[in-house]
Amino acid sequence: MIREAILSDSNVIAEIIVETWQKSFINIIDQNYIESMDVQRFVNIMKDNIQLNKEIIFVYEENEIIKGFISGKITEYSDHQCEIVGFYILPKYQRMGIGKILFQQIIEYFSRHNYKKMILWTLNSAKNNSFYKNNGGEITDKKILEIGGKTYDGIGFSFNLPPISN
């Protein structure tokens, strides 16, 4: 089931972020940064995001286990009204369709709010970039991403959001 995140989800969401980075970004991001990732730092960020409504966060929960989440916000980019900020599925649950379900949820959410264009920033060398392409994303932007004091080539996938009819 998909639902909006609540404050008590912060710990699990933080653990998902750290575990996903540790398993998915080997040989892509500096290993020292990955090994130094602190779950408590992300707990604090997620608590802040949830309490202050900085992002909309949807979790995918099955049998009382949160297996992944997606988060987004209104953006300040001129061509895009909204942005996916976080999108993580625990590695052992990847390739089971959970990402597709979460992705569709956030598209529907932004579409219902009459947003027309969404962006997602990721690393140019990320293994999951094919997912974004296969789900309608088009690389339209590039920028340098700073992670752990080092810089990496980043790309922005743009998505045209469908209008929602009532």
Side-chain angles (χ1 to χ4, degrees):
M1 125 176 143
I2 294 180
R3 62 173 174 77
E4 280 192 48
I6 56 175
L7 196 57
S8 61
D9 296 330
S10 299
N11 287 3
V12 174
I13 291 171
E15 290 168 3
I16 290 171
I17 293 169
V18 172
E19 183 176 335
T20 303
W21 274 70
Q22 289 173 341
K23 301 250 168 73
S24 300
F25 291 108
I26 295 170
N27 298 323
I28 296 174
I29 296 292
D30 178 59
Q31 193 63 32
N32 291 326
Y33 175 77
I34 291 173
E35 291 172 6
S36 71
M37 290 181 79
D38 177 33
V39 171
Q40 189 57 49
R41 174 178 168 254
F42 291 101
V43 168
N44 295 337
I45 291 168
M46 297 315 297
K47 282 183 176 180
D48 191 51
N49 287 348
I50 293 169
Q51 285 178 319
L52 301 176
N53 293 313
K54 290 183 175 181
E55 299 175 11
I56 180 69
I57 304 169
F58 295 106
V59 297
Y60 181 94
E61 184 177 40
E62 193 174 307
N63 300 322
E64 299 183 19
I65 298 170
I66 296 176
K67 297 181 175 183
F69 78 95
I70 194 165
S71 67
K73 66 179 184 177
I74 309 312
T75 187
E76 299 172 8
Y77 301 111
S78 59
D79 292 351
H80 303 88
Q81 299 85 37
C82 51
E83 173 181 11
I84 292 177
V85 180
F87 189 14
Y88 298 90
I89 311 299
L90 280 168
K92 67 182 174 183
Y93 299 117
Q94 292 175 1
R95 303 200 177 277
M96 296 179 168
I98 295 169
K100 178 89 170 172
I101 294 167
L102 283 168
F103 189 72
Q104 287 301 315
Q105 178 69 34
I106 205 150
I107 284 177
E108 288 174 22
Y109 174 84
F110 285 138
S111 291
R112 279 194 314 270
H113 288 83
N114 297 315
Y115 298 118
K116 308 286 185 237
K117 207 159 186 183
M118 176 179 74
I119 193 162
L120 177 147
W121 288 100
T122 188
L123 295 164
N124 187 40
S125 55
K127 297 172 187 171
N128 56 351
N129 288 347
S130 61
F131 174 88
Y132 305 125
K133 288 178 187 174
N134 293 338
N135 284 281
E138 181 181 331
I139 299 171
T140 57
D141 297 277
K142 294 182 180 189
K143 72 177 179 179
I144 299 298
L145 302 175
E146 192 272 318
I147 302 170
K150 298 203 175 187
T151 58
Y152 302 88
D153 291 333
I155 52 176
F157 281 94
S158 290
F159 299 86
N160 293 314
L161 303 178
I164 298 288
S165 57
N166 295 331

